[in-house]
Amino acid sequence: MPSNAMRLSAAAVTIALTIGGAYLASGLRYVVPEANASTTDTENVSGYQINIHDTRSDQGKLLIMAFDHQEAFDALDYKAASGYLEIPADAASLRVDFPDLTEGYHAFFVLHDENGDYELNFEGELPSEGYAVSGTNEAYGEPVFDYSVIVPGTHDLSVRYWLP
């Protein structure tokens, strides 16, 4: 049976490894090139800065929607969105800014609209176009507004594709 001294030593080593790992992880940075699809031509100092990663092709458009109401989010109604940008799709990482959205929380949905019909298309029950959603939604579940809202600041969203 381990002695109290051994237990204290093991606890100290565990704490040191945890703190050291957190310190190393805090220094990691992912540099994202700026997109030409900003609502302003200046550096964003307020509102939302959304970095979009993993778009699979340059085909079609990216529709970036910010929602502050559940009904519009659930319907993906871009006309009722509190913020909306439409840009050409690009396989490179992109950055878009929403500097006017400084109050409250917003949920973001990015649709890679490859066929230009402004809808998230399905083959059976699986989406046939890629999308990204902000927040902490389940990977294989339907996006939920309450889990999607985020505070103003910089956020990374990765586009997911369910079908090749």
Side-chain angles (χ1 to χ4, degrees):
M1 178 173 272
S3 68
N4 285 340
M6 293 173 81
R7 288 182 183 142
L8 288 174
S9 295
V13 167
T14 301
I15 291 169
L17 287 173
T18 302
I19 292 172
Y23 175 76
L24 286 174
S26 70
L28 299 175
R29 298 284 182 249
Y30 184 74
V31 178
V32 178
E34 293 184 16
N36 293 327
S38 175
T39 55
T40 66
D41 291 329
T42 60
E43 182 69 23
N44 185 21
V45 294
S46 64
Y48 290 89
Q49 179 177 311
I50 305 296
N51 298 313
I52 303 167
H53 308 284
D54 302 327
T55 304
R56 74 174 163 197
S57 73
D58 298 343
Q59 181 179 345
K61 297 180 180 185
L62 292 177
L63 311 178
I64 303 103
M65 299 165 269
F67 297 101
D68 59 359
H69 290 91
Q70 181 174 348
E71 295 77 24
F73 177 82
D74 289 344
L76 293 181
D77 183 0
Y78 67 95
K79 294 176 184 172
S82 54
Y84 176 81
L85 283 174
E86 182 178 318
I87 61 174
D90 195 328
S93 294
L94 299 171
R95 188 191 99 201
V96 293
D97 295 339
F98 291 86
D100 299 333
L101 301 179
T102 58
E103 303 279 325
Y105 301 96
H106 290 82
F108 284 82
F109 193 92
V110 177
L111 168 62
H112 183 190
D113 187 19
E114 294 176 281
N115 63 1
D117 68 352
Y118 293 87
E119 293 192 19
L120 178 59
N121 301 122
F122 288 83
E123 285 185 24
E125 293 187 17
L126 294 176
S128 59
E129 295 177 304
Y131 69 88
V133 65
S134 60
T136 59
N137 285 281
E138 291 183 24
Y140 298 102
E142 234 178 88
V144 177
F145 178 76
D146 289 339
Y147 299 149
S148 302
V149 292
I150 53 177
V151 298
T154 301
H155 301 276
D156 292 304
L157 300 181
S158 293
V159 179
R160 283 191 217 137
Y161 297 88
W162 303 98
L163 298 172

